[in-house]
mmCIF file of all heavy atoms in Angstrom:
data_model
loop_
_atom_site.group_PDB
_atom_site.id
_atom_site.type_symbol
_atom_site.label_atom_id
_atom_site.label_comp_id
_atom_site.label_asym_id
_atom_site.label_seq_id
_atom_site.Cartn_x
_atom_site.Cartn_y
_atom_site.Cartn_z
ATOM 1 N N LYS I 1 104.198 116.649 115.690
ATOM 2 C CA LYS I 1 103.552 115.989 116.809
ATOM 3 C C LYS I 1 102.020 116.166 116.667
ATOM 4 O O LYS I 1 101.274 115.198 116.852
ATOM 5 C CB LYS I 1 104.036 116.580 118.118
ATOM 6 C CG LYS I 1 103.405 115.926 119.354
ATOM 7 C CD LYS I 1 103.894 116.564 120.609
ATOM 8 C CE LYS I 1 103.126 116.048 121.792
ATOM 9 N NZ LYS I 1 103.344 116.824 123.008
ATOM 10 N N GLU I 2 101.591 117.343 116.389
ATOM 11 C CA GLU I 2 100.145 117.626 116.202
ATOM 12 C C GLU I 2 99.558 116.777 115.068
ATOM 13 O O GLU I 2 98.470 116.226 115.206
ATOM 14 C CB GLU I 2 99.924 119.118 115.942
ATOM 15 C CG GLU I 2 100.090 119.984 117.152
ATOM 16 C CD GLU I 2 100.031 121.479 116.817
ATOM 17 O OE1 GLU I 2 99.567 121.849 115.695
ATOM 18 O OE2 GLU I 2 100.479 122.266 117.646
ATOM 19 N N THR I 3 100.271 116.713 113.973
ATOM 20 C CA THR I 3 99.815 115.920 112.817
ATOM 21 C C THR I 3 99.742 114.456 113.211
ATOM 22 O O THR I 3 98.751 113.757 112.837
ATOM 23 C CB THR I 3 100.790 116.129 111.642
ATOM 24 O OG1 THR I 3 100.818 117.552 111.305
ATOM 25 C CG2 THR I 3 100.323 115.344 110.418
ATOM 26 N N PHE I 4 100.746 113.978 113.894
ATOM 27 C CA PHE I 4 100.766 112.570 114.341
ATOM 28 C C PHE I 4 99.589 112.256 115.261
ATOM 29 O O PHE I 4 98.876 111.263 115.078
ATOM 30 C CB PHE I 4 102.076 112.251 115.043
ATOM 31 C CG PHE I 4 102.187 110.860 115.560
ATOM 32 C CD1 PHE I 4 102.354 109.797 114.699
ATOM 33 C CD2 PHE I 4 102.092 110.632 116.906
ATOM 34 C CE1 PHE I 4 102.451 108.475 115.191
ATOM 35 C CE2 PHE I 4 102.173 109.326 117.448
ATOM 36 C CZ PHE I 4 102.343 108.277 116.582
ATOM 37 N N GLU I 5 99.358 113.141 116.225
ATOM 38 C CA GLU I 5 98.246 112.939 117.192
ATOM 39 C C GLU I 5 96.882 113.002 116.436
ATOM 40 O O GLU I 5 95.990 112.230 116.755
ATOM 41 C CB GLU I 5 98.298 113.968 118.297
ATOM 42 C CG GLU I 5 99.476 113.705 119.256
ATOM 43 C CD GLU I 5 99.696 114.780 120.272
ATOM 44 O OE1 GLU I 5 99.029 115.866 120.175
ATOM 45 O OE2 GLU I 5 100.466 114.598 121.175
ATOM 46 N N LYS I 6 96.770 113.890 115.498
ATOM 47 C CA LYS I 6 95.534 113.985 114.743
ATOM 48 C C LYS I 6 95.305 112.709 113.915
ATOM 49 O O LYS I 6 94.221 112.244 113.772
ATOM 50 C CB LYS I 6 95.553 115.219 113.866
ATOM 51 C CG LYS I 6 94.251 115.496 113.179
ATOM 52 C CD LYS I 6 94.311 116.815 112.415
ATOM 53 C CE LYS I 6 92.968 117.082 111.715
ATOM 54 N NZ LYS I 6 92.979 118.308 110.923
ATOM 55 N N GLY I 7 96.409 112.234 113.340
ATOM 56 C CA GLY I 7 96.303 110.999 112.559
ATOM 57 C C GLY I 7 95.836 109.802 113.419
ATOM 58 O O GLY I 7 95.018 109.016 113.007
ATOM 59 N N LEU I 8 96.397 109.694 114.644
ATOM 60 C CA LEU I 8 95.994 108.645 115.538
ATOM 61 C C LEU I 8 94.508 108.728 115.883
ATOM 62 O O LEU I 8 93.793 107.732 115.933
ATOM 63 C CB LEU I 8 96.841 108.628 116.782
ATOM 64 C CG LEU I 8 98.257 108.090 116.675
ATOM 65 C CD1 LEU I 8 98.952 108.211 118.018
ATOM 66 C CD2 LEU I 8 98.262 106.645 116.200
ATOM 67 N N ALA I 9 94.045 109.970 116.147
ATOM 68 C CA ALA I 9 92.656 110.175 116.483
ATOM 69 C C ALA I 9 91.770 109.804 115.340
ATOM 70 O O ALA I 9 90.658 109.180 115.505
ATOM 71 C CB ALA I 9 92.418 111.643 116.899
ATOM 72 N N SER I 10 92.169 110.148 114.130
ATOM 73 C CA SER I 10 91.434 109.798 112.935
ATOM 74 C C SER I 10 91.347 108.291 112.712
ATOM 75 O O SER I 10 90.333 107.771 112.356
ATOM 76 C CB SER I 10 92.014 110.490 111.707
ATOM 77 O OG SER I 10 91.922 111.900 111.766
ATOM 78 N N LEU I 11 92.450 107.624 112.941
ATOM 79 C CA LEU I 11 92.464 106.138 112.819
ATOM 80 C C LEU I 11 91.535 105.505 113.823
ATOM 81 O O LEU I 11 90.838 104.548 113.522
ATOM 82 C CB LEU I 11 93.900 105.592 112.934
ATOM 83 C CG LEU I 11 94.869 105.905 111.797
ATOM 84 C CD1 LEU I 11 96.219 105.402 112.133
ATOM 85 C CD2 LEU I 11 94.314 105.213 110.510
ATOM 86 N N THR I 12 91.534 106.044 115.067
ATOM 87 C CA THR I 12 90.587 105.532 116.099
ATOM 88 C C THR I 12 89.172 105.697 115.592
ATOM 89 O O THR I 12 88.356 104.783 115.739
ATOM 90 C CB THR I 12 90.858 106.254 117.381
ATOM 91 O OG1 THR I 12 92.197 106.036 117.787
ATOM 92 C CG2 THR I 12 89.903 105.748 118.501
ATOM 93 N N GLU I 13 88.856 106.884 115.093
ATOM 94 C CA GLU I 13 87.513 107.161 114.550
ATOM 95 C C GLU I 13 87.163 106.222 113.426
ATOM 96 O O GLU I 13 86.030 105.718 113.387
ATOM 97 C CB GLU I 13 87.431 108.624 114.133
ATOM 98 C CG GLU I 13 86.047 109.029 113.651
ATOM 99 C CD GLU I 13 86.021 110.499 113.193
ATOM 100 O OE1 GLU I 13 86.836 111.298 113.682
ATOM 101 O OE2 GLU I 13 85.164 110.771 112.365
ATOM 102 N N LEU I 14 88.054 106.011 112.486
ATOM 103 C CA LEU I 14 87.809 105.067 111.396
ATOM 104 C C LEU I 14 87.517 103.659 111.933
ATOM 105 O O LEU I 14 86.595 102.956 111.463
ATOM 106 C CB LEU I 14 89.002 105.000 110.464
ATOM 107 C CG LEU I 14 89.174 106.162 109.509
ATOM 108 C CD1 LEU I 14 90.453 105.988 108.662
ATOM 109 C CD2 LEU I 14 87.966 106.321 108.578
ATOM 110 N N GLY I 15 88.313 103.218 112.897
ATOM 111 C CA GLY I 15 88.108 101.906 113.516
ATOM 112 C C GLY I 15 86.713 101.799 114.138
ATOM 113 O O GLY I 15 86.044 100.727 113.972
ATOM 114 N N GLU I 16 86.290 102.834 114.858
ATOM 115 C CA GLU I 16 84.975 102.841 115.490
ATOM 116 C C GLU I 16 83.868 102.826 114.440
ATOM 117 O O GLU I 16 82.860 102.126 114.625
ATOM 118 C CB GLU I 16 84.879 104.086 116.398
ATOM 119 C CG GLU I 16 85.746 103.916 117.659
ATOM 120 C CD GLU I 16 85.817 105.227 118.403
ATOM 121 O OE1 GLU I 16 85.339 106.252 118.008
ATOM 122 O OE2 GLU I 16 86.482 105.182 119.534
ATOM 123 N N THR I 17 84.054 103.564 113.332
ATOM 124 C CA THR I 17 83.040 103.565 112.266
ATOM 125 C C THR I 17 82.893 102.200 111.656
ATOM 126 O O THR I 17 81.792 101.711 111.396
ATOM 127 C CB THR I 17 83.413 104.620 111.201
ATOM 128 O OG1 THR I 17 83.518 105.920 111.867
ATOM 129 C CG2 THR I 17 82.344 104.687 110.093
ATOM 130 N N ALA I 18 84.024 101.575 111.380
ATOM 131 C CA ALA I 18 83.986 100.229 110.810
ATOM 132 C C ALA I 18 83.359 99.241 111.759
ATOM 133 O O ALA I 18 82.525 98.397 111.356
ATOM 134 C CB ALA I 18 85.408 99.769 110.405
ATOM 135 N N GLN I 19 83.678 99.348 113.042
ATOM 136 C CA GLN I 19 83.123 98.419 114.012
ATOM 137 C C GLN I 19 81.564 98.630 114.102
ATOM 138 O O GLN I 19 80.827 97.652 114.179
ATOM 139 C CB GLN I 19 83.745 98.684 115.399
ATOM 140 C CG GLN I 19 83.214 97.738 116.474
ATOM 141 C CD GLN I 19 83.909 97.967 117.788
ATOM 142 O OE1 GLN I 19 84.600 98.953 118.001
ATOM 143 N NE2 GLN I 19 83.669 97.039 118.740
ATOM 144 N N LYS I 20 81.195 99.868 114.055
ATOM 145 C CA LYS I 20 79.707 100.187 114.110
ATOM 146 C C LYS I 20 79.029 99.537 112.885
ATOM 147 O O LYS I 20 77.936 98.964 113.029
ATOM 148 C CB LYS I 20 79.480 101.691 114.117
ATOM 149 C CG LYS I 20 78.026 102.116 114.117
ATOM 150 C CD LYS I 20 77.914 103.609 114.090
ATOM 151 C CE LYS I 20 76.407 103.981 113.961
ATOM 152 N NZ LYS I 20 76.270 105.358 113.516
ATOM 153 N N ALA I 21 79.615 99.653 111.699
ATOM 154 C CA ALA I 21 79.026 99.075 110.486
ATOM 155 C C ALA I 21 78.920 97.568 110.633
ATOM 156 O O ALA I 21 77.888 96.942 110.280
ATOM 157 C CB ALA I 21 79.871 99.443 109.233
ATOM 158 N N ASN I 22 79.961 96.920 111.112
ATOM 159 C CA ASN I 22 79.939 95.479 111.311
ATOM 160 C C ASN I 22 78.907 95.093 112.330
ATOM 161 O O ASN I 22 78.203 94.079 112.137
ATOM 162 C CB ASN I 22 81.334 94.981 111.747
ATOM 163 C CG ASN I 22 82.353 95.053 110.610
ATOM 164 O OD1 ASN I 22 82.004 95.015 109.466
ATOM 165 N ND2 ASN I 22 83.606 95.138 110.965
ATOM 166 N N THR I 23 78.842 95.826 113.426
ATOM 167 C CA THR I 23 77.867 95.476 114.499
ATOM 168 C C THR I 23 76.466 95.598 114.010
ATOM 169 O O THR I 23 75.645 94.713 114.275
ATOM 170 C CB THR I 23 78.134 96.398 115.713
ATOM 171 O OG1 THR I 23 79.445 96.200 116.178
ATOM 172 C CG2 THR I 23 77.172 96.075 116.840
ATOM 173 N N GLU I 24 76.205 96.643 113.248
ATOM 174 C CA GLU I 24 74.834 96.847 112.738
ATOM 175 C C GLU I 24 74.477 95.743 111.770
ATOM 176 O O GLU I 24 73.323 95.201 111.861
ATOM 177 C CB GLU I 24 74.747 98.224 112.058
ATOM 178 C CG GLU I 24 73.378 98.628 111.646
ATOM 179 C CD GLU I 24 73.272 100.016 111.061
ATOM 180 O OE1 GLU I 24 74.153 100.828 111.331
ATOM 181 O OE2 GLU I 24 72.320 100.288 110.331
ATOM 182 N N ALA I 25 75.342 95.393 110.865
ATOM 183 C CA ALA I 25 75.103 94.286 109.928
ATOM 184 C C ALA I 25 74.892 92.979 110.670
ATOM 185 O O ALA I 25 73.967 92.209 110.345
ATOM 186 C CB ALA I 25 76.235 94.193 108.924
ATOM 187 N N PHE I 26 75.728 92.694 111.638
ATOM 188 C CA PHE I 26 75.616 91.458 112.418
ATOM 189 C C PHE I 26 74.324 91.402 113.138
ATOM 190 O O PHE I 26 73.657 90.364 113.202
ATOM 191 C CB PHE I 26 76.801 91.343 113.369
ATOM 192 C CG PHE I 26 76.694 90.201 114.314
ATOM 193 C CD1 PHE I 26 77.015 88.861 113.895
ATOM 194 C CD2 PHE I 26 76.241 90.372 115.621
ATOM 195 C CE1 PHE I 26 76.837 87.825 114.736
ATOM 196 C CE2 PHE I 26 76.078 89.267 116.418
ATOM 197 C CZ PHE I 26 76.361 87.997 116.012
ATOM 198 N N GLU I 27 73.910 92.520 113.749
ATOM 199 C CA GLU I 27 72.662 92.500 114.528
ATOM 200 C C GLU I 27 71.447 92.256 113.636
ATOM 201 O O GLU I 27 70.546 91.542 114.055
ATOM 202 C CB GLU I 27 72.519 93.851 115.268
ATOM 203 C CG GLU I 27 71.331 93.912 116.168
ATOM 204 C CD GLU I 27 71.239 92.805 117.194
ATOM 205 O OE1 GLU I 27 72.263 92.321 117.694
ATOM 206 O OE2 GLU I 27 70.088 92.378 117.507
ATOM 207 N N ILE I 28 71.423 92.757 112.422
ATOM 208 C CA ILE I 28 70.346 92.495 111.492
ATOM 209 C C ILE I 28 70.287 90.965 111.226
ATOM 210 O O ILE I 28 69.200 90.354 111.287
ATOM 211 C CB ILE I 28 70.526 93.268 110.148
ATOM 212 C CG1 ILE I 28 70.344 94.767 110.436
ATOM 213 C CG2 ILE I 28 69.577 92.782 109.099
ATOM 214 C CD1 ILE I 28 70.734 95.671 109.289
#
């Protein structure tokens, strides 16, 4: 359960990082 929850949190973080990269490039 802990591993699963940690994986979900990591995937959320990855999604946010990718979104940030896209937003920054788009804004430029």
Side-chain angles (χ1 to χ4, degrees):
K1 180 182 174 192
E2 288 172 14
T3 301
F4 177 74
E5 289 172 351
K6 187 174 182 180
L8 285 178
S10 296
L11 289 174
T12 300
E13 184 181 333
L14 284 177
E16 290 168 355
T17 301
Q19 182 178 12
K20 180 182 172 195
N22 288 336
T23 300
E24 188 176 337
F26 173 79
E27 184 54 34
I28 291 168

